[in-house]
């Protein structure tokens, strides 16, 4: 079906054809659209797209109208091709709510496919769809350069003025919270298709979604709530069990008010102890914990306890510090059931304590700083900041609420409401399977922002619900050992970067268009950062439950590893 647009913004050369498409009785998916206009026509069409509106009736949820506020033909520059950049917004439906901002990039040489980018954190910043994909190898062409039409959104709120310390403030508005939860992505996708139908005279032959962290949650939500909208989804380190994770942030924040913060030396103490216990479990002592499921049985945080439990310096951990770490590495148990019956958020895995880019414990859990209340400092560990914002704005809905007094049982009704909105834990993907959708999930075992076990447990719940054979036909879960939330990893002992990048968009597109499923072992590479982007090292990223086991030879080559089964 080709959505109705106002035609004043379309080039005269094909406005009549676009209008005919919206009016004819042949608007089913089986119709053959007219040829895509030529480059010259598309160049002329771009500026005229400004002012184009998409009626609420063409958006698959109750919505305000969408309006293109700016249309600019961007010349080819660097690696990006010539494209028509559309920026616009979808009007709010209630007083006080922000519009949903979006950007759509339409290459004049189009591969007839589209890719939606996911967001991150609490969103609130416009995702423009021009960046390199998460975990993309150096030298890999960006999707826009590959001919994809790309687009993204701010998810329906503008947090640029307060994101550093109060990222959850928008949640005081019900419409903005629902848009963040799931509605904005559907609305923007429908708007983008309406605009593509007006510009290219057809909607894309394939529509994909690619996101990580919060964006990974968004991708899974699309498969669960809007299974007919996307042909394929890549979900990287997804915040699947959002509500459980954020309650866990609060749990590891509380001990830090009473001596539970860890400084850099104490974090190093933990990292070294983990490495001593678990580095060799993958067949090679290289400062990388690759056998991620075997490590927890071989390392106990209590082995680092100071005699008597008091803080006596950096050579051991106090009881308060151990409480902080136990809350991060241990499960978060809720006193009632959340969406889809879940009561527990799993703990983190060992092996990502110190990582490149200041990732690891210091970025997400504790950095030696005692938290501030009610408003945290921008320099607090990010999990501390996020937990406070969740407690104050999403649950208590009181900016002055003291997170130290947070008790989940007191807020049962509100937490369950939020869980029903936010959590991407529904294991029934049968509708997505029936429409031919493909789903690739990547977890990073060294992730300190969220637990990779949440993704593993979700995958297992889908298998339990749908059966292994059915799941094998449309879903893959891969685990990148030791990789942090941002995707990188380095040897704890030498500092050498580990190969962690891979092209999951190509795997998804091949699976969707040809039916060729991704291999059980995908090549992860570390490329030079300048042309010709020579591959310096490679290692397999194994399909769960596998991990890369060293079998001999050059440790920088993928051929020196095999995917072995990782087990507790």
């Amino acid at each position: 079906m080709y959505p109705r647009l106002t035609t004043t913004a379309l080039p005269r050369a094909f406005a009549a054809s676009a209008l005919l498409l919206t009016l004819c009785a042949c608007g089913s998916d089986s119709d053959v659209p007219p040829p895509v206009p030529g480059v010259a026509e598309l160049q002329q069409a771009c500026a005229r797209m400004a002012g184009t509106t998409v009626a609420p009736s063409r958006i698959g949820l109750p919505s305000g109208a969408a309006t293109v506020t700016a249309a600019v033909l961007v010349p080819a520059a660097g690696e990006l091709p010539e494209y028509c950049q559309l920026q616009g917004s979808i009007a709010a439906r209630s007083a006080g709510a922000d519009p949903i901002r979006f950007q759509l990039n339409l290459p004049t040489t189009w591969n007839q496919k589209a890719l939606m980018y996911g967001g991150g954190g609490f969103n609130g910043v416009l995702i423009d769809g021009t960046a390199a994909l998460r975990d993309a190898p150096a030298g890999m062409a960006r999707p826009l350069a590959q001919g994809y039409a790309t687009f993204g959104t701010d998810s329906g709120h503008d947090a640029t003025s307060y994101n550093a310390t109060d990222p959850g403030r928008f949640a005081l508005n019900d419409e903005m919270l629902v848009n963040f939860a799931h509605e904005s992505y559907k609305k923007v996708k429908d708007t983008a298709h309406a605009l593509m139908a007006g510009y290219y005279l057809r909607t894309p032959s394939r529509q994909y979604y690619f996101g990580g962290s919060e964006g990974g949650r968004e991708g899974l939500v699309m498969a669960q709530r809007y299974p007919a909208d996307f042909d394929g989804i890549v979900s990287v380190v997804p915040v699947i069990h959002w509500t459980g994770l954020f309650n866990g942030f609060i749990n590891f924040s509380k001990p830090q008010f009473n001596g539970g913060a860890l400084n850099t030396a104490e974090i190093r103490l933990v990292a070294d102890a983990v490495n001593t216990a678990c580095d060799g479990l993958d067949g090679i002592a290289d400062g990388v914990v690759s056998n991620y499921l075997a490590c927890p049985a071989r390392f106990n945080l209590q082995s680092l306890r100071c005699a008597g439990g008091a803080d006596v310096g950096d050579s051991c951990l106090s009881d308060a510090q151990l409480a902080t770490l136990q809350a991060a590495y241990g499960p978060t148990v809720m006193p009632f059931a959340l969406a889809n019956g879940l009561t527990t958020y799993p703990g983190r895995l060992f092996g990502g304590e110190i990582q490149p880019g200041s990732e690891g414990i210091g970025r997400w859990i504790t950095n030696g700083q005692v938290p501030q209340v009610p408003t945290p400092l921008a320099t607090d560990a990010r999990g501390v900041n996020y937990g406070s914002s969740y407690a104050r704005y999403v649950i208590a809905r009181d900016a002055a609420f003291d997170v130290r007094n947070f008790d989940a049982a007191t807020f049962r009704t509100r937490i369950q409401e939020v869980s029903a909105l936010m959590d991407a834990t529904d294991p029934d993907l049968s509708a997505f399977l029936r429409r031919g959708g493909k789903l690739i999930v990547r977890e990073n075992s060294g992730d300190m922002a969220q637990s990779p076990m949440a993704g593993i447990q979700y995958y297992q719940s889908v298998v339990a619900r749908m059966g292994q054979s059915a799941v094998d036909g449309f879903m893959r879960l891969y685990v990148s050992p030791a990789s942090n939330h941002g995707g990188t990893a380095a040897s704890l002992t030498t500092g050498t970067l580990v190969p962690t990048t891979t092209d999951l968009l190509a795997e998804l597109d091949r699976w969707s268009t040809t039916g060729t499923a991704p291999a059980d072992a995908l090549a992860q590479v570390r490329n030079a950062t300048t042309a010709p982007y020579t591959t310096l090292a490679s290692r397999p990223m194994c399909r769960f439950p596998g991990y890369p086991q060293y079998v001999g030879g050059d440790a920088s080559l993928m051929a020196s590893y095999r995917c072995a089964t990782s087990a507790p």
Side-chain angles (χ1 to χ4, degrees):
M1 185 77 181
Y2 300 94
R4 184 187 302 276
L5 304 175
T6 57
T7 58
T8 55
L10 301 178
R12 288 186 295 274
F14 59 95
S17 296
L19 181 60
L20 176 61
L21 284 169
T22 67
L23 296 177
C24 74
C26 54
S28 71
D29 291 341
S30 63
D31 294 334
V32 178
V36 175
V39 170
E41 291 178 290
L42 293 174
Q43 290 170 335
Q44 294 172 10
C46 183
R48 297 179 187 138
M49 293 294 289
T52 300
T53 60
V54 178
S57 61
R58 291 304 180 186
I59 298 173
L61 294 170
S63 177
T67 303
V68 176
T69 56
V72 178
L73 185 66
V74 180
E79 72 165 274
L80 293 183
E82 177 184 73
Y83 65 98
C84 180
Q85 180 191 98
L86 305 183
Q87 289 192 340
S89 62
I90 302 173
R93 300 173 60 228
S94 62
D98 290 343
I100 302 168
R101 295 183 297 157
F102 64 86
Q103 179 167 318
L104 171 61
N105 310 300
L106 303 168
T108 51
T109 301
W110 185 38
N111 68 4
Q112 301 190 39
K113 302 171 188 175
L115 178 68
M116 185 174 191
Y117 281 60
F122 281 89
N123 287 343
V125 177
L126 179 63
I127 303 300
D128 67 15
T130 65
L133 290 177
R134 196 180 186 105
D135 304 316
M140 172 184 155
R142 301 179 194 183
L144 188 55
Q146 296 179 45
Y148 284 91
T150 65
F151 56 97
T153 177
D154 67 354
S155 83
H157 62 276
D158 183 353
T160 52
S161 64
Y162 58 80
N163 225 355
T165 56
D166 282 333
R169 186 190 299 176
F170 72 94
L172 295 174
N173 182 284
D174 288 339
E175 181 178 347
M176 289 156 69
L177 179 57
V178 172
N179 279 334
F180 171 63
H182 61 90
E183 287 195 357
S184 65
Y185 321 110
K186 163 68 173 171
K187 292 177 182 179
V188 168
K189 174 262 169 185
D190 287 353
T191 297
H193 277 221
L195 294 171
M196 281 187 271
Y199 188 69
Y200 292 126
L201 302 189
R202 66 179 65 203
T203 53
S205 64
R206 288 289 188 279
Q207 174 65 64
Y208 301 137
Y209 198 104
F210 197 115
S213 188
E214 160 57 25
R217 182 198 69 87
E218 295 160 14
L220 291 178
V221 165
M222 295 303 99
Q224 293 166 19
R225 289 184 181 265
Y226 308 110
D229 284 58
F230 292 88
D231 297 284
I233 294 167
V234 173
S235 176
V236 180
V237 294
V239 183
I240 295 174
H241 191 179
W242 193 89
T243 311
L245 171 64
F246 277 72
N247 278 271
F249 287 156
I250 297 171
N251 286 353
F252 69 60
S253 297
K254 286 183 176 181
Q256 297 184 56
F257 289 98
N258 299 296
L262 278 73
N263 63 30
T264 301
E266 290 158 338
I267 292 171
R268 182 75 198 197
L269 175 72
V270 178
D272 286 343
V274 169
N275 192 71
T276 297
C278 302
D279 183 10
L281 298 177
D282 55 6
I284 184 173
D286 58 356
V288 180
V289 177
S290 292
N291 194 348
Y292 53 91
L293 290 184
C295 185
R298 290 161 176 80
F299 176 71
N300 189 339
L301 286 166
Q302 291 298 318
S303 66
L304 301 178
R305 183 176 184 265
C306 299
D311 187 351
V312 296
D314 298 342
S315 62
C316 58
L317 301 180
S318 69
D319 285 344
Q321 291 169 329
L322 286 169
T324 296
L325 294 181
Q326 291 288 8
Y329 287 103
T332 297
V333 180
M334 300 297 294
F336 46 80
L338 300 177
N340 299 296
L342 298 183
T343 59
T344 303
Y345 182 82
R348 290 157 183 77
L349 294 171
F350 293 111
E353 290 71 26
I354 297 174
Q355 287 291 354
S358 301
E359 281 278 355
I361 288 176
R363 181 178 181 85
W364 286 102
I365 299 170
T366 176
N367 59 12
Q369 185 168 283
V370 178
Q372 176 175 295
V373 291
T375 304
L377 301 172
T379 52
D380 281 336
R382 187 166 292 183
V384 172
N385 189 310
Y386 281 7
S388 171
S389 208
Y390 163 81
R392 293 156 60 223
Y393 293 111
V394 181
I395 303 303
R397 311 193 98 175
D398 175 5
F401 180 79
D402 189 332
V403 71
R404 292 174 295 182
N405 298 325
F406 185 85
D407 179 359
T410 303
F411 296 102
R412 174 173 179 161
T413 299
R414 177 59 179 169
I415 290 173
Q416 289 178 325
E417 289 174 352
V418 170
S419 178
L421 273 178
M422 290 295 304
D423 294 352
T425 54
D426 185 353
D428 185 2
L429 298 179
S430 55
F432 187 66
L433 169 61
R434 286 193 300 271
R435 64 94 66 223
K438 307 299 182 187
L439 173 61
I440 298 175
V441 179
R442 167 177 164 160
E443 286 288 2
N444 294 340
S445 71
D447 192 344
M448 291 290 115
Q450 61 97 38
S451 173
M453 289 303 300
I456 290 171
Q457 290 180 4
Y458 175 69
Y459 172 80
Q460 291 170 328
S461 75
V462 176
V463 171
R465 177 63 179 262
M466 302 179 64
Q468 189 68 62
S469 178
V471 172
D472 288 347
F474 79 99
M475 184 178 183
R476 290 288 185 274
L477 169 62
Y478 296 92
V479 179
S480 182
S483 296
N484 59 36
H485 192 64
T488 57
S491 166
L492 184 72
T493 51
T494 68
T496 302
L497 290 176
V498 175
T500 59
T501 61
T502 192
D503 185 357
L504 290 181
L505 178 60
E507 297 291 343
L508 182 72
D509 183 49
R510 186 181 304 112
W511 198 5
S512 178
T513 56
T514 72
T516 302
D520 288 347
L522 301 181
Q524 289 190 298
V525 299
R526 176 168 64 87
N527 287 353
T529 56
T530 57
Y533 305 105
T534 304
T535 296
L536 305 176
S538 60
R539 188 174 292 200
M541 180 169 67
C542 301
R543 184 179 173 188
F544 176 80
Y547 73 94
Q549 182 185 65
Y550 178 71
V551 293
D554 186 342
S556 68
L557 297 179
M558 180 173 171
S560 299
Y561 302 82
R562 70 179 183 95
C563 286
T565 299
S566 185

